[in-house]
Amino acid sequence: MSTGTPTPALHDPMTSVHEAIEEAVGSALEAIGAETPEITFEIPPDPKFGDLACPVCMGLARALKKNPRQIAADVKARLDATGVDWVARVEVAGGGYLNFTLDWPRFMAAVHDHVSREGDGYGFVGVGKGKKVVVEHTSANPNKPIHLGTARCAVLGDVTGRLLKMAGYDVEVENYVDDLGRQIAVLLHGYEHHKAEVERNPGDKADYYFGLVYMKGSEDVEDKPGGEEIVRDILHKMEDPSTPENKLAKEVVDQALKGQLETTWRMNIFYDVLIWERHIITSGLFAQAIETMMARSPETCYKVDAGDDKDCIVLDMSAFGEKYAQDKKPYKILVRSNGVSTYTGKDIAFQLWKFGEAAGYFSYERFIMQPNGKLLYSTVVDEGKGKKAKKAPKLSFGNADRVINVIGNEQKFPQEVVKSAMKVLGFDDHYENSQHLSFKEVGLPDQKFSGRKGTWVGFHADAAIDKATEKALAIIKEQNPTMPPSEQEAIAATIGVGAIKFYLAKFDMEKEITIIWDDLLNFEGDACPYVQYSCVRAQSILNKAKEAGVALPDASSALLARDVDSPEARALYFSLAHLPRKVVAWAASLEINQIPLYALEVADKFNKFYHECPILRSDVPEPVQRARILLVQDTITVFKQILRQLMGIDIPLRM
RNA sequence: GGGCAUUUCAUCUAAUGGAUAGGAUACCAGGCCUCUAACCUGGCUAGUGGCGGUUCGAAUCCGCUAAUGCCCGCCA
């Protein structure tokens, strides 16, 4: 018996193998009188230990008062008597492991059959079927370009969205735009006073240019006497639709945002809808959210009536864990004494909207057409007079079952407040389904990226992609001197983008990334070009085969395992077979960095197969050649699923 | 002061409580008459910050400790 949690019906061979062993081991344990614990598997460190190992017997020693090896031997005896589906051999090893060796001919044939039949649907599983997930990511302040830190957010968010799509969810990707924040006021100040000092080269994008202007403005007002007053004055004017500041702010934000979008588009990162921070307030959504919280839970959400924070509306976090009681203040202010909301306050209202608890506050209009052919929409709110926006009333954004906010680690506390607010409001489901996907900063060996100080200059995403592309181009020119320049450049761009995306995704999200160009631009070893190159080699075999007049077998034709069998082919098929199970696991754990690591594993296994198992050499018998080509085709299918579908990284035709 | 993370070969990193802690880079030696050498093979050097504890078994869980980072604003 497997565990009681309902797993979706999966028919991939690897899952069949697991289920067969779980069932067989489960009933064997039952027969010898053991309480069946969860049956886990691991992949043995050495092929001589078999293909899958089960350590379950070792944990039963105490309960059964028996030597774990003896328990394993008893289980093995029963398994041998009945046989285990998909398994050729069971052995006892080590301190009581049950080691299983697969029925390889059957397994490889089944994997090939499954992969080739599923094609670009391979890996798509049903765990999210019928459920909608909102993924918010990027949400970079529109006063500077995307730097490698925000790019990490964008990449992780993008891959998360793609992963959940593969897991069967209906996915909506949102980008939250802080359009009226303090940093815009600082930018306007810089624009007004230092416009002439900041040179704008013809090729400079607006986000880059404004980033430089912002630095200038920041020098003037940050930590300077009178600076705060200047900022407040501009902020005030920005809110009044009749002022030039209001108009300019909108224009600047619009241009900077479009510049940022160009950068993410370069990386194959797209969005469904932009949520403007201002609209959370102007729509009335925020006021309603606060009112409801105070009514539902007056003990935790209330107006402070004395002390420093008199007249502020707060959310008391001490109800959510003792640790908050140790903070300077056990509560988070949601509304200031002057009635203006805080950032976290708005985030709570936004979270409610994502879950569909504030429907009707927003309408939507077209913002811009994206290069992937999908329209990007934007929230719009009727603000009294003026022209009616071109609404798209049929659209319904939000209303999700699960919400994932991809936001830096430094916002852990505010994100906990947002999540806790769901509980305060009585939305226990939303509380459970609110996830903060946290990641750590990207920096330089001796400093962090800062918009104020301009340390991002030279480390914005465009610059990194350019650098990687340049390097790729140099290599291509050297290796393919006769290739037309336009093709060389297109391939270089694909490699450059891939290198950056892959790099930003491959590290444990709890770990900081320190940018060292030599490492980031190393195209050998654990890097995207290695994976792309592997795939290009695989495609090249098929191309060469066609040129040589070798008839390619139909992808769906049956694989005769004996013709392909070799340690390298087994290892490769074993890796290929894991995709569906991995997608299920990742969709729950959101361990995004496992995806590039898996890509590297497949590339590694393929390259070993490539070297050991020639295909087009004249001494390769036809049936063997045929079988090996099928494996190459299956490998290409999986490469495409990982790189293109899960990571949004293209695969060049040649390299 | 409190909270949350991080700490693994020279360097960057991986490891659902499980077998000999895996890989990459760098370095050395090989491999293109033969499917693309951004690759492969072999070698090299080696590592779980420190002290305890739990466990049949700990890089992993717990406690203490050290270093580093982030958070604990009516900022955003």
Side-chain angles (χ1 to χ4, degrees):
Chain A
M1 274 293 288
S2 57
T3 51
T5 48
T7 45
L10 288 173
H11 304 291
D12 67 281
M14 189 55 84
T15 294
S16 302
V17 168
H18 276 77
E19 285 175 354
I21 298 176
E22 278 169 19
E23 198 180 320
V25 172
S27 41
L29 287 171
E30 206 174 319
I32 63 171
E35 288 282 324
T36 307
E38 194 185 350
I39 294 169
T40 58
F41 294 97
E42 54 193 89
I43 295 174
D46 192 305
K48 74 184 178 202
F49 295 130
D51 305 304
L52 282 172
C54 180
V56 70
C57 297
M58 292 187 274
L60 296 171
R62 174 170 290 179
L64 296 178
K65 296 198 175 97
K66 269 192 338 198
N67 177 336
R69 262 196 91 98
Q70 185 57 49
I71 300 169
D74 292 348
V75 172
K76 173 184 152 54
R78 286 172 193 275
L79 295 179
D80 284 344
T82 56
V84 183
D85 205 11
W86 295 97
V87 170
R89 196 166 67 245
V90 183
E91 287 164 310
V92 176
Y97 280 99
L98 285 166
N99 288 339
F100 300 89
T101 301
L102 293 182
D103 175 354
W104 277 100
R106 183 182 169 201
F107 181 70
M108 288 195 287
V111 175
H112 161 71
D113 184 59
H114 186 79
V115 172
S116 62
R117 202 180 38 218
E118 297 284 312
D120 61 9
Y122 182 55
F124 280 77
V125 296
V127 283
K129 206 162 187 82
K131 284 183 271 188
K132 178 168 178 181
V133 61
V134 157
V135 180
E136 182 207 325
H137 68 79
T138 310
S139 305
N141 282 329
N143 66 332
K144 59 177 178 299
I146 305 265
H147 59 65
L148 286 171
T150 34
R152 186 182 196 186
C153 180
V155 169
L156 292 172
D158 179 54
V159 177
T160 300
R162 292 169 182 276
L163 166 66
L164 293 173
K165 198 169 176 192
M166 192 172 274
Y169 283 89
D170 176 15
V171 177
E172 180 173 304
V173 179
E174 302 178 355
N175 189 352
Y176 184 53
V177 187
D178 180 4
D179 51 345
L180 279 179
R182 186 197 149 81
Q183 71 294 102
I184 302 302
V186 174
L187 170 54
L188 289 192
H189 173 81
Y191 193 70
E192 197 178 339
H193 292 85
H194 303 285
K195 193 160 67 167
E197 299 159 43
V198 181
E199 198 183 341
R200 182 165 183 182
N201 296 314
D204 286 351
K205 288 164 63 211
D207 51 338
Y208 179 80
Y209 170 69
F210 287 134
L212 299 178
V213 172
Y214 173 74
M215 280 161 59
K216 286 285 178 193
S218 193
E219 278 171 25
D220 276 6
V221 298
E222 299 296 340
D223 307 321
K224 293 278 164 61
E228 205 48 44
E229 283 68 34
I230 295 173
V231 173
R232 216 173 297 154
D233 181 53
I234 300 175
L235 270 172
H236 187 69
K237 287 177 181 157
M238 273 163 56
E239 280 174 34
D240 180 351
S242 68
T243 64
E245 281 82 358
N246 180 278
K247 196 166 166 251
L248 185 60
K250 280 183 178 159
E251 211 164 285
V252 159
V253 166
D254 184 76
Q255 285 187 42
L257 179 63
K258 283 174 179 163
Q260 291 180 342
L261 288 172
E262 274 183 49
T263 303
T264 63
W265 292 342
R266 265 184 104 178
M267 295 194 282
N268 280 329
I269 297 174
F270 306 97
Y271 307 87
D272 294 305
V273 63
L274 301 170
I275 312 295
W276 297 81
E277 183 170 352
R278 172 179 18 153
H279 294 157
I280 304 237
I281 304 299
T282 58
S283 65
L285 167 56
F286 176 76
Q288 183 59 51
I290 294 296
E291 196 178 305
T292 309
M293 279 204 282
M294 291 174 74
R296 291 239 182 143
S297 185
E299 295 79 24
T300 42
C301 187
Y302 51 84
K303 187 181 261 193
V304 178
D305 52 18
D308 287 348
D309 298 328
K310 185 169 183 302
D311 293 334
C312 291
I313 296 173
V314 302
L315 184 68
D316 196 323
M317 290 299 289
S318 52
F320 294 93
E322 235 169 83
K323 62 183 181 182
Y324 299 115
Q326 307 299 319
D327 285 346
K328 284 174 190 159
K329 289 174 187 173
Y331 52 73
K332 182 78 188 166
I333 293 173
L334 306 181
V335 183
R336 298 175 199 142
S337 54
N338 64 3
V340 175
S341 71
T342 63
Y343 187 85
T344 304
K346 278 178 278 200
D347 263 3
I348 291 171
F350 186 19
Q351 189 81 351
L352 282 172
W353 174 84
K354 287 171 177 168
F355 278 117
E357 298 299 344
Y361 283 93
F362 299 150
S363 300
Y364 308 95
E365 64 180 351
R366 297 172 173 201
F367 184 75
I368 197 165
M369 175 58 88
Q370 303 180 102
N372 66 343
K374 285 197 170 170
L375 274 165
L376 172 58
Y377 288 89
S378 151
T379 52
V380 59
V381 171
D382 288 331
E383 291 176 57
K385 64 182 179 79
K387 57 185 188 296
K388 267 279 196 213
K390 293 166 292 188
K391 284 191 199 172
K394 280 177 295 183
L395 292 166
S396 116
F397 294 107
N399 201 20
D401 300 292
R402 181 179 177 187
V403 170
I404 296 167
N405 296 328
V406 187
I407 301 177
N409 149 80
E410 70 278 2
Q411 288 203 41
K412 202 157 196 163
F413 174 62
Q415 281 295 307
E416 282 173 16
V417 174
V418 168
K419 182 176 163 120
S420 300
M422 297 303 106
K423 197 153 208 172
V424 168
L425 285 157
F427 298 123
D428 284 12
D429 284 354
H430 301 340
Y431 174 78
E432 296 296 336
N433 291 314
S434 294
Q435 279 178 284
H436 172 208
L437 188 62
S438 166
F439 62 93
K440 286 240 167 114
E441 296 190 48
V442 180
L444 301 173
D446 52 348
Q447 62 182 341
K448 297 274 147 54
F449 295 131
S450 154
R452 282 171 54 181
K453 294 177 190 157
T455 43
W456 53 265
V457 177
F459 295 90
H460 46 305
D462 286 316
I465 297 170
D466 289 345
K467 242 175 152 148
T469 303
E470 209 175 295
K471 177 171 176 180
L473 185 59
I475 298 173
I476 291 166
K477 281 187 166 160
E478 194 185 313
Q479 307 208 340
N480 302 281
T482 60
M483 188 186 278
S486 62
E487 194 183 344
Q488 289 176 333
E489 280 159 27
I491 291 169
T494 299
I495 295 166
V497 166
I500 301 298
K501 281 192 88 170
F502 196 92
Y503 190 83
L504 292 175
K506 77 174 180 174
F507 297 100
D508 186 313
M509 289 181 283
E510 288 296 329
K511 287 182 177 163
E512 293 167 22
I513 298 178
T514 302
I515 295 299
I516 298 164
W517 287 119
D518 281 349
D519 188 34
L520 180 54
L521 299 179
N522 185 358
F523 291 174
E524 286 158 24
D526 292 345
C528 192
Y530 173 65
V531 182
Q532 288 171 319
Y533 181 73
S534 307
C535 193
V536 165
R537 282 178 133 183
Q539 290 164 334
S540 181
I541 293 172
L542 303 186
N543 294 337
K544 276 279 159 51
K546 269 184 230 161
E547 283 172 26
V550 174
L552 290 184
D554 188 69
S556 61
S557 60
L559 175 78
L560 281 177
R562 63 157 190 268
D563 293 329
V564 79
D565 203 6
S566 71
E568 293 78 18
R570 289 185 179 195
L572 180 51
Y573 263 127
F574 196 66
S575 287
L576 299 185
H578 273 96
L579 180 64
R581 295 180 64 77
K582 283 180 183 287
V583 169
V584 172
W586 295 333
S589 71
L590 300 180
E591 294 169 299
I592 301 304
N593 70 313
Q594 293 298 323
I595 296 171
L597 295 179
Y598 177 54
L600 289 167
E601 177 193 317
V602 173
D604 186 50
K605 299 281 165 59
F606 173 73
N607 279 311
K608 283 173 177 143
F609 167 76
Y610 179 93
H611 277 273
E612 290 302 316
C613 304
I615 293 166
L616 299 179
R617 233 166 50 182
S618 55
D619 59 344
V620 179
E622 194 275 335
V624 173
Q625 180 177 75
R626 206 186 93 90
R628 287 178 178 171
I629 287 176
L630 289 175
L631 174 48
V632 169
Q633 289 170 330
D634 293 337
T635 305
I636 291 171
T637 298
V638 174
F639 272 134
K640 285 179 176 168
Q641 297 309 92
I642 306 172
L643 282 184
R644 282 206 189 134
Q645 303 232 45
L646 285 176
M647 300 196 68
I649 294 174
D650 287 329
I651 298 164
L653 292 173
R654 291 199 279 164
M655 274 176 82

